Amino acid sequence: MEWTGEGFTVSEGFISSEGGSYNSNKGKTKSNDFIITGKYMTFFLELGAWDSKTGMSVFINGQREFFITGSIMETGRIYALDVSKFISKTAYITLTDA
């Protein structure tokens, strides 16, 4: 899978070259389009929860169908999405650290 974007989508522990703190680094990354072929999509993510602006979205046929965010103190965990009703549809994933 290929990803494109700008800024950081992983800011924890990073210091900006412009001198900002680790939480000042923000960004958005988008996957390439792909066809859903299975019933489930699983992810291992470590996400913060900042006004529901930090997380992962799954877009299917251009509509956001899933949004996953975490809690402020969350460690990595596995997420599973039931995408069985979207088999053969075009999808892409975005990761946002806002």
Side-chain angles (χ1 to χ4, degrees), residues 19-20 25 27 32 51 75 85 87 89:
N25 297 316
N32 59 314
D51 300 322
T75 58
K85 69 180 183 179
I87 291 175
K89 304 292 184 192

Side-chain angles (χ1 to χ4, degrees), residues 12-48:
E12 188 64 35
F14 284 91
I15 302 298
S16 169
S17 62
E18 290 80 33
S21 70
Y22 63 87
N23 276 330
S24 69
N25 297 316
K26 298 169 182 25
K28 185 173 185 178
T29 304
K30 178 188 175 292
S31 76
N32 59 314
D33 290 354
F34 60 91
I35 303 297
I36 296 173
T37 59
K39 294 180 180 182
Y40 298 94
M41 294 172 70
T42 57
F43 307 90
F44 180 81
L45 301 168
E46 186 173 331
L47 299 165

Side-chain angles (χ1 to χ4, degrees), residues 7-97:
F8 287 93
T9 52
V10 180
S11 65
E12 188 64 35
F14 284 91
I15 302 298
S16 169
S17 62
E18 290 80 33
S21 70
Y22 63 87
N23 276 330
S24 69
N25 297 316
K26 298 169 182 25
K28 185 173 185 178
T29 304
K30 178 188 175 292
S31 76
N32 59 314
D33 290 354
F34 60 91
I35 303 297
I36 296 173
T37 59
K39 294 180 180 182
Y40 298 94
M41 294 172 70
T42 57
F43 307 90
F44 180 81
L45 301 168
E46 186 173 331
L47 299 165
W50 305 104
D51 300 322
S52 298
K53 295 178 183 176
T54 299
M56 185 192 80
S57 298
V58 178
F59 289 81
I60 302 171
N61 287 341
Q63 296 280 86
R64 184 165 80 170
E65 297 290 343
F66 299 96
F67 179 72
I68 300 171
T69 191
S71 66
I72 293 170
M73 299 303 287
E74 186 165 356
T75 58
R77 61 175 273 208
I78 295 172
Y79 295 85
L81 302 177
D82 181 351
V83 294
S84 57
K85 69 180 183 179
F86 300 110
I87 291 175
S88 299
K89 304 292 184 192
T90 301
Y92 65 88
I93 298 167
T94 62
L95 299 171
T96 305
D97 189 349

